[in-house]
Amino acid sequence: MTTPTIRPRRLRVSAGVRNMVRENHLSPADLVYPLFVIPGTKVKHEIPSLPGNYHFSPDMAVAAAREAYDLGIPAVLVFGLPEYKDEEGSSAWDANSPVQAAVRAIKAAMPDLVVITDVCLCQYTNHGHCGVLKGETVENDATLPLLAKVAVSHAAAGADMIAPSDMMDGRVKAIRTALDQHGYSHVSVMSYAVKYASAYYGPFRDAADSAPQFGDRHSYQMDPANAREALREVELDIAEGADIVMVKPALAYLDIVRTVKDHTQLPVAAYNVSGEFAMIKAAAAQGWIDEKRTVLETLIGMKRAGADIIITYHALDAARWLK
Ligand code: PBG
Ligand code: ZN
């Protein structure tokens, strides 16, 4: 009988030793909590496709943001569903729309909580595309000034960080320039730099009422087969002034998170998207997996891949479990 001289199991013998040699750590400080705001007051409705997440009126969003803040989560990411939709998505830059109102209310109540806003047009256009149309084509350059207007209106409401998710070429530069011109040079840009055309966004589109009314997003979001292109997108966004670069979705793209992390000195965010959340929730509801262990394993996997920041619908639960 041969006996091994080198035994990796020696470093797994007890919780104490395992703690000593653990390579990666997950903390509430790594997380960003997404919030969906809708018109009205005193509204808190559970979102069917995102169990445990809610549609909040701006006043009620404050309490949800406070819950995150009290759990040690440093930031919320605000999405809005508007009162009205049109061809251009003009409610996106309306100072009285739910996002702007929620940002004002949250910042007034908790000045230290970082408020990030998603900038896109798809929730606001009557066709559900992320930019303006010419015929059935999503027009890149005509969309840029509109995105810039949305970003400035969010900054005016008090947003600390702007997160453009539209995937138009040149939008980081357009937004950076407009923010600077309007006196918001201190407002940072977390760009959805690497955003794939993904089936994992399904539950979000139900929650945000943002599904395209015809066609799909393949002419602006990335082909899931491409990896080199991710670095090209990251380089462009950095050159245009991005402060943080995001990879989205996370789970099927952890190789991309690692590649991006190795390529840039900027903080890297990973978006644990709605379909990834829904898969765990659905399997856990069937009793097929242990929700807590699966969520924490998934999130530490994203950290291990190189994510500095994780946007996740599990944020409140995870922060509670980590306490
Ligand atoms: C809007 C937007 C989407 C998501 C974030 N911002 C959907 C899309 O691009 O269709 C997806 C988030 C998720 O699935 O959790 N552009
Ligand atoms: Zn969009």
Side-chain angles (χ1 to χ4, degrees):
M1 192 171 67
T2 60
T3 57
T5 46
I6 298 168
R7 295 177 184 271
R9 286 186 58 186
R10 281 196 284 261
L11 296 184
R12 300 177 199 140
V13 282
S14 67
V17 174
R18 291 193 294 272
N19 279 339
M20 288 174 70
V21 300
R22 183 158 298 125
E23 297 175 35
N24 290 283
H25 299 271
L26 185 66
S27 120
D30 301 320
L31 308 177
V32 174
Y33 176 46
L35 279 177
F36 293 86
V37 293
I38 63 171
T41 51
K42 300 262 172 286
V43 187
K44 178 182 178 179
H45 285 150
E46 191 166 21
I47 301 172
S49 63
L50 293 171
N53 288 263
Y54 298 84
H55 284 134
F56 295 107
S57 50
D59 54 327
M60 299 295 279
V62 177
R66 187 178 300 284
E67 215 179 325
Y69 184 68
D70 289 345
L71 284 164
I73 295 168
V76 294
L77 172 58
V78 183
F79 293 94
L81 285 81
E83 196 103 52
Y84 59 94
K85 302 189 189 224
D86 57 26
E87 278 289 312
E88 288 204 308
S90 64
S91 53
W93 60 85
D94 182 333
N96 296 314
S97 272
V99 167
Q100 287 82 349
V103 170
R104 285 191 294 270
I106 293 169
K107 287 305 289 185
M110 281 155 288
D112 294 337
L113 180 68
V114 177
V115 174
I116 312 169
T117 55
D118 182 88
V119 165
C120 202
L121 298 181
C122 52
Q123 290 106 296
Y124 304 90
T125 51
N126 51 21
H127 44 76
H129 278 288
C130 303
V132 288
L133 300 180
K134 186 170 184 181
E136 295 214 335
T137 304
V138 176
E139 281 258 285
N140 194 89
D141 299 7
T143 301
L144 300 180
L146 306 187
L147 296 168
K149 264 204 285 202
V150 179
V152 168
S153 85
H154 290 176
D160 300 289
M161 194 179 286
I162 302 296
S165 68
D166 52 282
M167 289 299 278
M168 298 302 118
D169 295 329
R171 92 275 208 210
V172 172
K173 182 175 173 212
I175 287 170
R176 183 72 269 156
T177 305
L179 288 173
D180 293 352
Q181 277 169 355
H182 288 82
Y184 302 114
S185 58
H186 56 286
V187 172
S188 46
V189 174
M190 177 168 76
S191 134
Y192 288 70
V194 184
K195 180 173 177 179
Y196 288 93
S198 173
Y200 285 98
Y201 306 153
F204 173 95
R205 290 183 191 169
D206 287 340
D209 186 30
S210 64
Q213 297 303 299
F214 66 88
D216 54 41
R217 304 211 200 289
H218 287 82
S219 79
Y220 41 106
Q221 299 180 348
M222 284 173 57
D223 183 338
N226 291 357
R228 286 193 308 266
E229 189 187 354
L231 292 183
R232 185 165 156 74
E233 284 284 2
V234 162
E235 275 173 16
L236 284 169
D237 282 12
I238 293 172
E240 291 180 27
D243 301 288
I244 298 174
V245 287
M246 191 202 298
V247 175
K248 177 189 177 189
L251 211 44
Y253 301 87
L254 291 181
D255 59 324
I256 306 297
V257 174
R258 170 47 57 193
T259 302
V260 169
K261 180 64 179 177
D262 289 343
H263 187 79
T264 176
Q265 309 292 313
L266 293 192
V268 174
Y271 199 142
N272 176 211
V273 299
S274 58
E276 302 169 18
F277 171 86
M279 290 195 302
I280 290 181
K281 282 292 194 186
Q286 296 282 342
W288 292 339
I289 56 171
D290 178 318
E291 179 175 353
K292 174 179 168 180
R293 289 187 56 207
T294 309
V295 167
L296 294 176
E297 183 177 334
T298 301
L299 298 178
I300 199 71
M302 292 171 190
K303 288 273 323 250
R304 197 185 62 242
D308 301 291
I309 298 164
I310 302 171
I311 302 159
T312 178
Y313 304 98
H314 299 291
L316 295 184
D317 284 337
R320 278 188 212 105
W321 294 327
L322 290 167
K323 280 238 146 173

